[in-house]
């Protein structure tokens, strides 16, 4: 039985709503073969659940911070989840 890839919970703050940031995050996730979800929060931040290999995740984290599309990332809070969930795709939640 193989172990599932790590899962991270991220909260992204800055100018990240109404600027196409979620679509940019999904594109970066697809390019790095990262699965999970992205959604806007009521407080103006964006929440990301990301799953992949350590290498895939590191590249993804760099991309969403340094290539935010029309957005401007101020801070990313990352927490590794102790979860046995598994995602098949990366999707935007509304």
């Amino acid at each position: 039985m193989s172990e599932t890839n790590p899962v991270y919970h991220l909260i992204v703050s800055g100018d990240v709503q109404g600027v196409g940031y979620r679509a940019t995050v999904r594109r970066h996730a697809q390019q790095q073969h990262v699965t999970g979800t992205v959604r806007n929060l009521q407080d103006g931040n964006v929440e990301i659940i990301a799953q992949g290999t350590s290498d895939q995740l590191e590249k993804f984290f760099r991309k969403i911070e340094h290539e935010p599309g029309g957005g401007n990332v101020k801070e990313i809070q990352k927490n590794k989840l102790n979860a046995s969930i598994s995602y098949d795709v990366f999707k935007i939640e509304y």
Side-chain angles (χ1 to χ4, degrees):
M1 184 169 138
S2 64
E3 188 175 319
T4 58
N5 287 329
V7 179
Y8 280 83
H9 177 254
L10 293 82
I11 300 293
V12 183
S13 60
D15 184 19
V16 291
Q17 287 195 16
V19 293
Y21 184 68
R22 287 177 301 162
T24 299
V25 167
R26 182 178 60 187
R27 181 172 44 84
H28 288 318
Q30 290 169 339
Q31 289 170 346
Q32 300 305 323
H33 306 288
V34 169
T35 58
T37 63
V38 61
R39 70 182 179 117
N40 285 341
L41 298 176
Q42 289 185 347
D43 63 5
N45 294 329
V46 168
E47 178 184 57
I48 301 169
I49 304 295
Q51 181 174 37
T53 66
S54 296
D55 187 51
Q56 289 167 333
L57 289 168
E58 275 306 312
K59 290 176 184 174
F60 172 69
F61 296 154
R62 280 196 304 272
K63 291 278 191 184
I64 64 171
E65 182 174 8
H66 299 293
E67 296 179 32
N72 183 16
V73 173
K74 178 181 176 186
E75 180 184 12
I76 299 177
Q77 298 173 18
K78 279 184 273 193
N79 293 300
K80 187 174 181 180
L81 299 178
N82 291 326
S84 60
I85 49 180
S86 184
Y87 294 92
D88 295 327
V89 297
F90 195 94
K91 65 181 180 177
I92 297 174
E93 291 186 345
Y94 297 95

